[in-house]
Amino acid sequence: MKEAKMKDDDIANELLTPTDYMSHKDIQELVQTLQTHQLELEMQNEELHLSRAKLKESQRRYFDLYDMAPIGYCTLSKEGLILEVNFTLASLFGCARHDLINKSIIKFIVKEDQDVYYLCAKKLFQTNLGLTCDLRMIKRDGSVFYAHAAASAEERDPQNSHVMLTINDVTESEKARKKIEQLNVDLKAKVSQQLEELRKKDAILLQQSTLAQMGEMISMIAHQWRQPLNAISGAAIELSLLNMRGDVSGDDISRNSKFIQNMTQKMSQTIDDFMNFNKEEENSLFSLSDSVYKTYEIVEAQCKSKSIKVNVDIDEKLSVFHNSRAIEHSLLNLIINSRDAFDESKKTKNKKIDIYSRESDDAIFLIFKDNASGISKELIGKIFNPYFTTKEEGKGTGLGLYMTKRMIEEVNQSSISVESQDDTTTFTIKFPKSA
């Protein structure tokens, strides 16, 4: 600009020179100089207009980006005084912009949250890193809104440090968050209530299943006792007849007494087996063969009385981690179901139950198979449902297979599956191998 002014002065001096003393050539040069200078002035004027336009555009963009931004902006002094503020924040506070200048930002923060701001500001100047905090802020009319504030430090000169603060009204988000929290609390309470109701229902189902199974056990004990009782009765009748004839000897009394003692001990053992069968047991590693044979001994007499042949082939070396009582009760349920199916199906001549084991690299399988007429495709997907039964009314609770599945699958990721083809039904219990 200084050089342009000096050039203008030179041209002005030339213009002051009388043209009478100038040659034609000098006049031509002067005209060319004036034309060149005019062109330069026009170019400078055009640049000035462009600069003004850019300045106006920058001012407009500043207005759009700062003053009309969707979130509140303000510049604070180190002491927390508002130096600059945009329209959005002024509107949020319910104040005119000029009413906010040189006011402390603390005035607009709920008293209980002021320490949060102080700590944030202190840390900001210590670390010079951008920080955020959540505050409750006060409008001019005294109403409170939730705000998310983000602060960054700015040094405009060495003596003055300023805080650039953005304030976003998150009241609706906070209300939604609290509503979701309350919904979660209510949901947890409802789930807990329903779980408690389910536990009570499960307890009732378990009690019903246990009572039904105890009834079956008593029926089986009756079958096992019938033969010893008949034998004891026969021994007593024999002694009575010998006594009536006067032929009773000491050997007769001793032999029959010993026989009666053996029978009563066998009956007592049956009671012990029944009591042990219903004792609770902790999960443990146990012999699969022992549990299967223990269950078979309980049902052996009844199966024989109904002409049901039971074939057991369990590898004695196999052990599984589970609840031995649960497996014994489950196996008993399967045998009872087969027995009842044989009773309903009159066409089966060679009644047969096969219980055997198989082994793979990662699992042990207990397989239960019978030929008691099979299960239709329409029903096989329902047999593990509670209270589902195909038996006549009064002859089944519909809980046996449901409780069997529950007892098996609640331990060690074990499972039970069923398939049926023609007259054969096969249940497969899978035990993962212990690590």
Side-chain angles (χ1 to χ4, degrees), residues 128-160:
N128 209 31
L129 298 173
L131 296 172
T132 61
C133 60
D134 293 309
L135 304 166
R136 287 171 296 169
M137 304 196 79
I138 309 169
K139 296 184 179 183
R140 186 177 183 177
D141 61 6
S143 60
V144 175
F145 67 95
Y146 290 89
H148 179 73
S152 60
E154 179 189 55
E155 284 193 9
R156 297 187 178 180
D157 58 69
Q159 278 73 36
N160 290 316

Side-chain angles (χ1 to χ4, degrees), residues 373-435:
S373 76
I375 305 172
S376 69
K377 292 180 179 179
E378 292 77 18
L379 299 180
I380 198 166
K382 302 177 183 178
I383 63 171
F384 291 117
N385 294 345
Y387 298 114
F388 177 79
T389 180
T390 58
K391 299 172 186 177
E392 296 178 14
E393 188 173 350
K395 289 190 176 181
T397 63
L399 293 173
L401 289 177
Y402 168 72
M403 293 307 301
T404 294
K405 186 176 178 68
R406 281 278 316 273
M407 288 186 292
I408 289 172
E409 295 190 349
E410 69 183 6
V411 181
N412 196 29
Q413 298 181 336
S414 300
S415 63
I416 182 171
S417 59
V418 61
E419 60 182 15
S420 186
Q421 188 173 5
D422 298 328
D423 291 337
T424 303
T425 301
T426 304
F427 288 88
T428 302
I429 302 174
K430 179 181 177 182
F431 305 95
K433 284 189 174 178
S434 302

